[in-house]
Amino acid sequence: MALISLSLLAVGPASAATTDEAVADETAADVAAMKQTAMKQTARPPAGFVDRPIVALDWTLAETLTGIGVRAIGVGQVATYASWVAQPALPQGTRDLGLRTQPNLEQLAALAPADILISPMLSSLAPRLSAIAPVTSIAIYTPDADTWQTLVKATRQLGKLTQREPQAEQLIRLSTARLAGYNAALRQQAARKGQSPLPLLMVQFMDDRHVRIFGDNSLFQAVIERMGIDNAWQGDTNAWGFATVSLEKLVTLKGRMVVVEPLPPGGHQALAHNGLWQAMPGVRENSQASAPLFLPPVWSFGALPSANRFAELLASHLLDEHLLAKHTDKELDGESTLEGETTDGNH
């Protein structure tokens, strides 16, 4: 397009009309080709999924759609989603729409969605997006709100929007039951051992000296509350439930570190030579009972699917093997029962 524009200046007004027609034809052909490609890429949803003509630029909404068995026709930054959110994996064939904050508008128009889903953080895009399709903004993290109830409300909203209400209710029931089950198993273990789990310090590294620490209003806080575990961080947090602090600020706190990857450059080897890290709770004592827990990536701004993933990863470290296996067996039995209650994917 840039070369064609320059050529217009070179050839002058005599051929401008002809060139404009050629450009219009070329653009129309490009859009038609993109539509054909989109149709091919979104054909035949994987087993357990249904297609809906919606786009989700926000990962939290995308993971919730995945959790209720919906394949959106497009999601922002699909490859990066796989690194930061990991599970649940987006269904095969989900189209990548480019940056969440700067989606490819031509691709969006070619997909011709019936609805574009965003979070309030992307509200500045709404005027441009609304020229393509209706825009629905769904809030997840809001100050002074019960985070868990907000996640439940958003799940129901997406279930209604996609005609997957039974699947949304199933996700809510399974999530609630899973965390209640972990709570009961941890209490049973504490009664047998005479010791409750240590309060947790849940962090993600920003660099080798600073972390995000999660507290009130965070997904991680909502999870451990329902598992019956205390948070060692009682300081202020922002609207997304975290504060950015230096490691020095954590040295005097008592609790067990939970580090959600990614790690700073150099990984575990770098931490072994990091004097501040060596002074952290659980590291300085060199005790297995209070040693830091390292978890693979979990989307810290996620919804119920990420809450389930975080709970499962924590439980795998905190529960004895026999209690974890017993809880998993009960959960699988309950899941089978719930699946039998739902309607088919075309509801």
Side-chain angles (χ1 to χ4, degrees):
M1 291 292 289
L3 292 174
I4 291 172
S5 300
L6 289 173
S7 66
L8 285 175
L9 296 176
V11 300
S15 59
T18 302
T19 307
D20 285 344
E21 291 175 0
V23 171
D25 290 342
E26 181 181 343
T27 301
D30 286 344
V31 171
M34 290 168 70
K35 286 183 177 180
Q36 288 181 351
T37 301
M39 290 175 63
K40 290 179 182 178
Q41 287 186 333
T42 57
R44 295 185 298 276
F49 285 88
V50 296
D51 280 336
R52 293 292 184 260
I54 56 177
V55 160
L57 296 181
D58 179 88
W59 286 345
T60 306
L61 303 179
E63 74 164 39
T64 305
L65 291 173
T66 302
I68 61 175
V70 172
R71 181 173 69 167
I73 54 177
V75 171
Q77 292 176 266
V78 168
T80 313
Y81 173 103
S83 299
W84 281 90
V85 184
Q87 296 294 329
L90 294 172
Q92 187 176 5
T94 303
R95 188 179 181 88
D96 192 332
L97 298 174
L99 297 176
R100 289 170 291 162
T101 54
Q102 295 179 334
N104 186 316
L105 298 182
E106 288 186 355
Q107 286 186 354
L108 264 176
L111 289 171
D115 207 336
I116 300 173
L117 306 181
I118 64 171
S119 64
M121 195 170 68
L122 301 176
S123 60
S124 62
L125 298 175
R128 284 177 289 166
L129 297 176
S130 60
I132 297 172
V135 176
T136 299
S137 179
I138 298 179
I140 300 291
Y141 293 92
T142 55
D144 303 320
D146 184 309
T147 301
W148 186 264
Q149 293 307 318
T150 304
L151 300 180
V152 168
K153 180 180 177 181
T155 303
R156 289 194 169 119
Q157 188 174 350
L158 288 170
K160 183 176 181 179
L161 182 69
T162 59
Q163 297 182 307
R164 297 281 281 183
E165 293 99 323
Q167 289 76 14
E169 292 302 325
Q170 177 178 332
L171 176 58
I172 293 166
R173 289 195 298 269
L174 285 174
S175 303
T176 303
R178 175 175 286 127
L179 269 61
Y182 287 143
N183 184 311
L186 285 167
R187 283 189 285 108
Q188 181 181 349
Q189 180 172 281
R192 180 169 54 83
K193 293 185 174 182
Q195 184 178 8
S196 298
L198 290 171
L200 301 181
L201 286 162
M202 303 170 290
V203 304
Q204 281 184 314
F205 274 93
M206 304 301 292
D207 55 42
D208 62 352
R209 298 179 63 90
H210 299 86
V211 295
R212 283 176 176 170
I213 187 160
F214 295 90
D216 285 343
N217 209 47
S218 69
L219 176 76
F220 298 161
Q221 172 71 20
V223 168
I224 66 170
E225 277 182 1
R226 279 153 187 79
M227 291 178 67
I229 305 172
D230 293 331
N231 192 338
W233 176 256
Q234 297 299 315
D236 293 336
T237 59
N238 59 19
W240 292 276
F242 72 88
T244 302
V245 301
S246 65
L247 288 176
E248 290 101 323
K249 199 163 185 179
L250 308 182
V251 170
T252 59
L253 297 181
K254 294 182 179 180
R256 189 169 193 179
M257 301 284 293
V258 176
V259 181
V260 181
E261 294 178 354
L263 297 179
H268 289 277
Q269 185 175 0
L271 289 178
H273 296 89
N274 184 326
L276 282 173
W277 174 253
Q278 294 304 313
M280 289 298 102
V283 182
R284 59 177 179 257
E285 292 88 356
N286 194 26
S287 166
Q288 184 176 358
S290 60
L293 305 178
F294 292 89
L295 306 185
V298 178
W299 186 229
S300 55
F301 312 116
L304 293 182
S306 285
N308 287 322
R309 175 169 165 77
F310 184 64
E312 290 168 5
L313 291 169
L314 264 186
S316 69
H317 285 280
L318 298 178
L319 282 174
D320 291 342
E321 287 186 12
H322 72 283
L323 281 173
L324 184 63
K326 183 178 178 181
H327 173 76
T328 302
D329 290 342
K330 285 184 178 179
E331 188 175 288
L332 289 174
D333 289 341
E335 187 170 347
S336 298
T337 302
L338 288 172
E339 284 177 350
E341 297 174 359
T342 61
T343 62
D344 63 30
N346 293 320
H347 172 80

